[in-house]
Amino acid sequence: MTITRDDIRAAVGAGKISEAQATAIVSLSDARRGARENLDGLDEPFELFKGFNEIFIVVGLWILYAGWSGLTGFSSFMTSNPEGPLFIFALIGMATSCALAAYFTVRRRMIAPSITLAIMFALSAMQAGFVLGTFITDDQQGTVLIASLFCAATLLVYWLLFRVPFAMFLIALATYASAFALTSLGGAELDSYQDVFLLSANASFAWITLALGLIGLTVALRFDMSDPHRVTRRASQGFWLHVIAAPAIVNTVALTLFQQGGVGAYAILLAFLTLMALFAIVIDRRSFLISGIGYVVALVTLVAEDGTWAFILLLGVFLVALGAFWETIRGGIMAGLPAFPGKDRLPPWTRPRELQA
């Protein structure tokens, strides 16, 4: 049985609920059932700031951070003779970021200042980790490993406290840095940075990156499927994980195929990207696809050879066409797919029914 707005009005008239309670119920219903109808079609929600006041505050925060860094000498990350005060200054920076987040994130629920404070916390945590690492070991890779692990762990605590979606992105970056430092401790000889991501170079980090990308994608899908209408911060958590997971998945495959060269390799890569596009359409995440393809384009510009620019041109045509007809394409694909576990927990592929007036 569906409760309509007429039922709510009747409940108010009968004195069962107050006007304030009725307004709260209607607002909640609009958020849960009709939030996506206020978007352009079935667009993917995305917001970096709510107004210019947030930009004003962000500018102030960065000026504050610059002054603090200059006053304390905080800008030096790697130092052969770390001083005790640097660690204390870093902890103060972390604590200050948390205090400001308690106001701007928890109380004011501002988006851009929350992202800025998460970045500042991460920088302070990385600084503290570097100082801590130089006290523990003289090895540079070991220092980077300690700093990255410290940063990832403290960022996780920060996320648990404030639930800032962008913190997920930073946690993933710190995790990748930790994985890279861990694999480099063995003293693997890499002729170039490309060898780090090449399966053909037997670089363990290539496989780790691929695994971490799949893990990030899994967590992102859990967030998405818990909020199919994408009206809570869980959807934003998933958004930033998709942004970092897609390049992690695609970089190893794409770079390996680029190094092989030839029409066959490009055909395989195109098929791989097509599968990624179909997956992105099903889960309704443009962010997953655009970050993955954007990373591929970046790789192409680094290893560009004859014919690669034609490949970029094709990718551009593909993205423009897909963006123009995303809703129609997704509606057709989802309608044609048989029922599968979790399909009903994906974002709707038809416009939600208008709420009764």
Side-chain angles (χ1 to χ4, degrees):
M1 177 180 178
T2 302
I3 298 177
T4 67
R5 293 191 178 186
D6 287 336
D7 295 326
I8 296 176
R9 293 191 190 99
V12 173
K16 301 298 183 181
I17 59 176
S18 66
E19 287 282 356
Q21 290 172 327
T23 301
I25 292 173
V26 171
S27 298
L28 179 62
S29 175
D30 289 341
R32 288 177 58 84
R33 295 165 49 196
R36 290 176 64 89
E37 69 182 353
N38 296 321
L39 299 172
D40 183 13
L42 296 173
D43 203 357
E44 180 178 352
F46 177 68
E47 193 175 22
L48 281 178
F49 59 91
K50 294 180 179 179
F52 192 77
N53 186 47
E54 291 198 5
I55 303 301
F56 185 85
I57 294 171
V58 166
V59 172
L61 287 172
W62 280 117
I63 292 176
L64 174 66
Y65 183 82
W68 169 255
S69 299
L71 184 65
T72 61
F74 185 64
S75 58
S76 176
F77 271 78
M78 295 296 292
T79 174
S80 58
N81 296 306
E83 300 177 4
L86 284 180
F87 185 74
I88 302 301
F89 291 152
L91 294 182
I92 292 175
M94 295 167 64
T96 303
S97 297
C98 289
L100 292 172
Y103 178 74
F104 289 112
T105 301
V106 178
R107 184 173 177 181
R108 298 289 299 274
R109 303 186 73 83
M110 290 184 166
I111 299 175
S114 297
I115 292 175
T116 301
L117 289 170
I119 295 173
M120 291 178 178
F121 181 89
L123 292 173
S124 298
M126 186 63 75
Q127 172 70 66
F130 271 119
V131 176
L132 187 63
T134 54
F135 277 118
I136 296 175
T137 179
D138 295 330
D139 182 70
Q140 183 174 350
Q141 284 80 9
T143 301
V144 174
L145 176 60
I146 293 173
S148 301
L149 289 174
F150 182 84
C151 183
T154 53
L155 275 171
L156 180 59
V157 175
Y158 185 90
W159 177 80
L160 291 172
L161 289 174
F162 304 109
R163 302 289 177 170
V164 178
F166 188 75
M168 279 289 177
F169 181 86
L170 298 174
I171 292 171
L173 285 180
T175 303
Y176 292 142
S178 301
F180 176 73
L182 182 62
T183 55
S184 64
L185 284 175
E189 295 183 2
L190 300 173
D191 296 331
S192 68
Y193 76 93
Q194 296 179 7
D195 290 344
V196 176
F197 302 104
L198 282 175
L199 295 175
S200 58
N202 295 320
S204 56
F205 183 64
W207 292 106
I208 293 177
T209 302
L210 187 60
L212 290 176
L214 293 173
I215 292 173
L217 176 60
T218 301
V219 177
L221 288 175
R222 287 182 62 87
F223 280 120
D224 283 350
M225 298 178 77
S226 68
D227 180 24
H229 288 277
R230 295 176 181 166
V231 295
T232 70
R233 282 192 295 180
R234 292 192 299 273
S236 298
Q237 317 276 10
F239 171 87
W240 288 111
L241 281 174
H242 282 299
V243 169
I244 194 67
I249 294 172
V250 78
N251 66 11
T252 296
V253 177
L255 189 55
T256 300
L257 290 172
F258 279 142
Q259 290 291 71
Q260 291 180 359
V263 177
Y266 281 99
I268 295 174
L269 179 58
L270 188 60
F272 176 72
L273 293 178
T274 301
L275 289 176
M276 283 190 63
L278 290 174
F279 179 76
I281 291 171
V282 170
I283 65 174
D284 197 21
R285 276 299 189 185
R286 296 166 178 83
S287 54
F288 176 79
L289 181 60
I290 197 64
S291 61
I293 290 184
Y295 190 89
V296 170
V297 172
L299 287 179
V300 170
T301 59
L302 291 174
V303 296
E305 298 175 354
D306 293 339
T308 54
W309 297 111
F311 181 77
I312 291 180
L313 179 64
L314 289 176
L315 286 181
V317 172
F318 174 71
L319 281 180
V320 171
L322 188 59
F325 303 102
W326 181 280
E327 298 170 15
T328 303
I329 295 173
R330 184 168 189 266
I333 291 176
M334 296 301 292
L337 285 176
F340 57 85
K343 184 178 180 180
D344 58 340
R345 296 168 61 192
L346 292 172
W349 50 92
T350 57
R351 292 180 183 272
R353 183 179 60 187
E354 295 292 329
L355 294 177
Q356 299 182 37

